[in-house]
Each structure stands twice: as C-alpha cells, then as structure tokens.
Amino acid sequence: MTEHAVVIAGGGPTGMMLAAELALAKVEVAVVERRPDHLLAGSRAGGFHSRTIEVLDQRGVADRFLAEGQPVQIATFGTTVMDMSDFPTRHPYTLALFQNKIERIMADWVAELPVHIYYGCDARGFAQDDTGVDVRLSDGEPLRARYLVGCDGGRSLIRKEAGIEFPGWDATRSNLIAEVETTEEPPPGVRHDAAGVHGLHRLEDGKTVRVVTTEQRLGPGSEPTLRDLSEALITAFGTDFGIHNPTWISRFTDMTRQAATYRAGRVLLAGDAAHVHYPAGGQGIGLGVQDAVNLGWKLAQVVDGTSPESLLDTYHAERHPVTARVLRYTMAQTTLQRHDDRTKALVDVVSELASMDEPRKRLAGLVSGLDIHYDLGDGHPLLGRRMPDVDLITADGPLRVFELLHDAKPVLLNLGQPDVIGITPWADRVRLIDATYRGEWELPVLGVVSAPTAVLIRPDGYVAWVGDGTDVGLTDALATWFGPLTAA
Ligand SMILES: Cc1cc2nc3c(=O)[nH]c(=O)nc-3n(C[C@H](O)[C@H](O)[C@H](O)COP(=O)(O)OP(=O)(O)OC[C@H]3O[C@@H](n4cnc5c(N)ncnc54)[C@H](O)[C@@H]3O)c2cc1C
C-alpha cells in the first residue's frame, strides 16, 4: 500500500492551496483528483477579494494572478458598490479572474512543489484507525495516510463518509450558468426582476457569451439542457438571443450549509466540502484558500511532531465562526438580488445605508476578508488579526513583511531595541527578525492603532502575540502555537 503523510481528496482551489502549504512546510502530500487534469469545464467563479490576494502575496505568488486578472471595485451590498480603494492594503480591490485561469495558475505553482497528484482518480471512501487513514480509490491500491483532508467540493463524499452533519438552509432559488454562442447581440449590464438577476456577457474570445439567469422556479437536481436555458432567457428577456453551441451549462442554488465540525479524528474538511452558499458576493474561493492557509501549517506541525493534535482543533474554532458570518452576508446579498416591489424597497434602504462611510467600511471589511479576527483573547487590536504588509528596514536592507512569510514559517518581528527579545529554545522553529518601521499602524475598518514593539506572526499571517515593550506572554504564545519545548 502506498503511504503519504497527508492525502487531500479534491484538487480544486482549496485542495491545491492546501497541498502547496503542506509542501512548503516540507510535509509529504498527495492529492487525489477526479478530473483527468486541472482543466475546468466553463469559467465558473469570477475572481477573489483583497485578503485572498494578500494570502497569495504572503507566499510570493500574487503577481502570477495579478498579471492575468483585472483589479476592479465590485464588492457590493444591495446595489451599492462598496469602493475599498481607501483600505490600508497593497491590494484594495477585487481581482476579476475566471476560475479556470485561477486553477491553471495554481496548478502551475503546485507543479513546482513536491506534491504528488493522482489525476483521473476518485476517492471512494476511507477507514480510519488510531494511527492513520486508509483511502479507497476508484483506481488501484488504497492509499495510507496519517491524515485525510476532504477538499472535494460541496457534495463531499469525505464529509458524508465521516458522518459529519451539514446543517443549514435548503435551496429556494436556482440559476443557470452557461457558455454559448448567440445570433443576437446580448444587452449590456445585468437585469433584476422578482426572480433574481440575469445577465449575458461576451468573453475575451469575442465569440462565447457567458450567461447567468435565475429560474422562475427552483430547478430539478438533474443536469440542465439548452432548452431549459432558452426558456429561462425568454421568460427574463422575451428572447433567447439565438443561443446555440453550448460548451458548458450548469445549475447552482442558494442552498447554504456549514459542516457542524471541520474535524472527525484524522479526517478534516476544507473549502466547499465544509460550507456551501450562493455565489453572490464572490466568497467561495477566498473561504477555501483561507481554510487551507489556516489548516496547512497546523497540520504540518502535528504531522512532524512539533505540536500536539489539539492544535488541529483551533482550525475549526477559528474558521467556523468566520465562515458562518460570511454565509449570513451571502444570504442577505441573495435576498437583495430579488427586485419585486417590496424587496426593491428594502434594497433601496440598505443601499443608502451601505453608501455611508462607516457601514461601507464594515461591510467592505467583511466582503474583502480584511476584517477577519480570530479570537485569541484580549489585548492589542492586532492580536488575532492579519499582520499588515508594512515596509521594514532590517540588517539585510528594506523588506516587506509579506516577504518574510514566503516560506510559510512563523516570524517574531522585534521592532524595539535589538537583542532585547530572546527565543533561543524556539530558534529552530521561529525566525527572529530585528527591524524598524516608522509609519502608522492602520488596520482596515478599525483605523490607526498603537505601534507594537514586537509581533509574533503565524505562517498564515495572523498575529499570535503583540509586545508592548516587554516579553510578557511571549513564552506562552510560542508554546501554544509552535509547540511545547518537549516535542509532542
Ligand atoms: C456560478 C458560480 C460563480 C462563482 N463565483 C465565485 C466568485 O466570483 N468568487 C469566488 O470566490 N467563488 C465563486 N464561486 C464559488 C467557487 O467556485 C467555489 O467556492 C470554489 O470552487 C470552491 O473550491 P473547492 O476547491 O473547495 O471545491 P471545488 O472547486 O468544488 O473542487 C473540488 C474538487 O474535488 C474534486 N472531487 C470531488 N469529489 C471527488 C472525489 N470523491 N475524489 C476525488 N476528487 C473529487 C472535483 O473534481 C474538484 O476538482 C462561484 C461558484 C459558482 C457555481
């Protein structure tokens, strides 16, 4: 039986990000992916928001995505576009980039790392025991792993086999999405009616038209046809624009569910396998990437014996509430897409509120992911929040904070007197950098906060401890996050 330290079921955006995180942490990892290669049928998602771009920047690969995408201000609530260009980040925008391109860029990155991918192979089930998990495949021998992560999308077999509950809300609305050719020129922009939103958009090749239309009634579970699409367009626009030659037709709904637990023993869930929602607001890829980046370093430390297994429980504790909040936003945003007279009145009121500065900042903080706050206790506002990518002066010259995170290792940034903070017992696990930073400390939504004298930054870019001129609490934080001094 072939053995791997970690097996990931599913090589979509979440599975690929997790594989990269584990490989960077030098954990042996394999991905089992049903598709024969990374190519995706259809364009699917339209891009991702600021915090996801930052996370990729932390690994030194954001430029690959930025080179192919288009920065835009499209974070919306109601009908208000919430401009976030004043947010204190190097990426105060949404990146418009279709998912098929996102997955190609990710696959190219993962191919540079020591990740084994079993393409064209289905995970069919698993059995776990005290020391590992046997993963049954559609093809060939089972795989043995210390841990199995289900990144196998919304219909996750891993979630079902693990017996993890998936509570939430059934679908009330369905949409058809397709790529077709048309004989008539489609109208510009999107149209809202009592059912929801409808739009046709010509793609770069000048020939293909991407169609999204809301069905008048909740559609069946079966695969949609060109005829279904034609009928839906005629209802919404009075014409189907002569659609023909479909290369992709799919249906999605507003079903909203979240796994009751993200871990069952040696089996974990991430991305759509752990949560599904309507795509309004463009949150799915970002949630999955951020799950992966939260879990990756923790799983690596447990696998290599640096940390006890209990570190894995912080993955659920941190990511579940953050995602639950985002799911509520997507449900609200979904409701606001209906424009019957009464809902339209609500949309107008909400849109007016969302255009005011304070509500705009709060909502844009949520949509962009820049306001994420993991509850790591009371203390300085930076605690549990993302470390800003400030410009540092170090003994090696000028550096951005995110450059220090490229290899996915923790960093203790000493911004006070050099050599005051000692971390000798953890020196092989945590990099200590003496640096100066003279600018303001401004956080998205919160504004300017007091300058810290030292910051302990986790590999995912979140702050685990903040110094105020002393090292009180540092030893505890190091032991909590980067393992006790006697190996687990
Ligand atoms: C119309 C639409 C528009 C969207 N727009 C946006 C947007 O603008 N922004 C955004 O962030 N998100 C958007 N989303 C959501 C986004 O597409 C998903 O959230 C995202 O793809 C989730 O990534 P994932 O890797 O968790 O799951 P998936 O992308 O579903 O990947 C799961 C992978 O697992 C594989 N797999 C499944 N079962 C098995 C098995 N048993 N064995 C082996 N492999 C398996 C599948 O082949 C797939 O490659 C949109 C979604 C839709 C439908």
Side-chain angles (χ1 to χ4, degrees), residues 365-405:
L366 187 158
V367 175
S368 63
L370 290 170
D371 75 346
I372 290 172
H373 180 213
Y374 298 139
D375 183 6
L376 306 189
D378 296 333
H380 190 282
L382 271 170
L383 188 65
R385 290 197 166 84
R386 82 190 231 299
M387 176 68 189
D389 185 25
V390 298
D391 290 308
L392 303 170
I393 305 293
T394 70
D396 295 327
L399 268 180
R400 292 164 46 193
V401 167
F402 285 4
E403 289 178 78
L404 295 171
L405 295 172

Side-chain angles (χ1 to χ4, degrees), residues 318-339:
E318 293 178 359
R319 291 301 303 163
H320 192 281
V322 163
T323 298
R325 183 168 167 250
V326 172
L327 297 188
R328 294 189 70 75
Y329 156 75
T330 63
M331 287 202 294
Q333 180 67 3
T334 308
T335 304
L336 296 173
Q337 279 189 350
R338 283 201 175 103
H339 283 201

Side-chain angles (χ1 to χ4, degrees), residues 15-32:
M16 283 195 275
M17 191 73 206
L18 182 61
E21 290 294 292
L22 290 165
L24 288 172
K26 306 211 173 350
V27 165
E28 199 274 325
V29 54
V31 179
V32 177

Side-chain angles (χ1 to χ4, degrees), residues 18-97:
L18 182 61
E21 290 294 292
L22 290 165
L24 288 172
K26 306 211 173 350
V27 165
E28 199 274 325
V29 54
V31 179
V32 177
E33 166 55 47
R34 171 180 291 165
R35 289 176 284 163
D37 51 38
H38 67 266
L39 296 179
L40 195 64
S43 47
R44 204 165 164 188
F48 44 61
H49 296 286
S50 287
R51 182 56 188 153
T52 310
I53 306 169
E54 284 197 345
V55 162
L56 296 165
D57 204 358
Q58 289 176 177
R59 297 298 178 253
V61 294
D63 287 348
R64 303 181 187 201
F65 297 86
L66 295 173
E68 296 203 34
Q70 188 68 35
V72 284
Q73 294 295 337
I74 50 164
T76 51
F77 198 67
T79 51
T80 301
V81 176
M82 298 173 299
D83 188 325
M84 59 178 81
S85 53
D86 60 342
F87 268 18
T89 164
R90 290 182 203 271
H91 307 291
Y93 45 78
T94 301
L95 188 69
L97 181 63

Side-chain angles (χ1 to χ4, degrees), residues 397-433:
L399 268 180
R400 292 164 46 193
V401 167
F402 285 4
E403 289 178 78
L404 295 171
L405 295 172
H406 283 186
D407 58 0
K409 292 222 174 69
V411 173
L412 178 60
L413 201 56
N414 178 27
L415 299 157
Q417 292 292 318
D419 305 325
V420 169
I421 289 187
I423 57 159
T424 311
W426 279 275
D428 59 336
R429 301 179 203 169
V430 179
R431 193 142 63 111
L432 174 60
I433 305 280

Side-chain angles (χ1 to χ4, degrees), residues 42-254:
S43 47
R44 204 165 164 188
F48 44 61
H49 296 286
S50 287
R51 182 56 188 153
T52 310
I53 306 169
E54 284 197 345
V55 162
L56 296 165
D57 204 358
Q58 289 176 177
R59 297 298 178 253
V61 294
D63 287 348
R64 303 181 187 201
F65 297 86
L66 295 173
E68 296 203 34
Q70 188 68 35
V72 284
Q73 294 295 337
I74 50 164
T76 51
F77 198 67
T79 51
T80 301
V81 176
M82 298 173 299
D83 188 325
M84 59 178 81
S85 53
D86 60 342
F87 268 18
T89 164
R90 290 182 203 271
H91 307 291
Y93 45 78
T94 301
L95 188 69
L97 181 63
F98 283 125
Q99 185 165 346
N100 49 2
K101 292 190 179 168
I102 292 171
E103 293 205 22
R104 186 202 0 103
I105 299 167
M106 279 189 148
D108 287 349
W109 176 38
V110 170
E112 295 163 17
L113 299 167
V115 174
H116 187 95
I117 307 192
Y118 296 88
Y119 276 120
C121 192
D122 251 58
R124 285 277 165 86
F126 67 84
Q128 61 171 316
D129 55 44
D130 288 348
T131 57
V133 190
D134 293 329
V135 187
R136 288 196 309 283
L137 305 181
S138 53
D139 190 14
E141 290 272 294
L143 301 177
R144 174 83 178 163
R146 303 260 311 273
Y147 289 89
L148 168 67
V149 188
C151 298
D152 50 342
R155 294 178 184 162
S156 171
L157 173 125
I158 304 300
R159 183 188 68 234
K160 290 172 194 157
E161 283 258 316
I164 295 174
E165 299 274 311
F166 202 38
W169 296 267
D170 287 336
T172 62
R173 178 198 306 188
S174 59
N175 291 66
L176 299 178
I177 184 165
E179 283 169 14
V180 294
E181 290 175 36
T182 59
T183 51
E184 292 171 37
E185 188 55 26
V190 292
R191 177 172 298 186
H192 290 266
D193 63 18
V197 68
H198 314 269
L200 297 95
H201 167 74
R202 195 171 287 288
L203 296 182
E204 276 169 356
D205 66 5
K207 193 171 77 165
T208 312
V209 174
R210 178 170 147 120
V211 184
V212 179
T213 185
T214 313
E215 295 181 285
Q216 295 300 312
R217 275 179 298 283
L218 188 61
S222 55
E223 288 302 312
T225 62
L226 191 63
R227 192 186 170 135
D228 294 332
L229 184 65
S230 168
E231 284 172 5
L233 284 172
I234 290 170
T235 307
F237 293 94
T239 167
D240 70 359
F241 304 100
I243 52 167
H244 60 282
N245 273 358
T247 49
W248 175 54
I249 306 182
S250 184
R251 177 179 277 120
F252 61 91
T253 75
D254 65 346

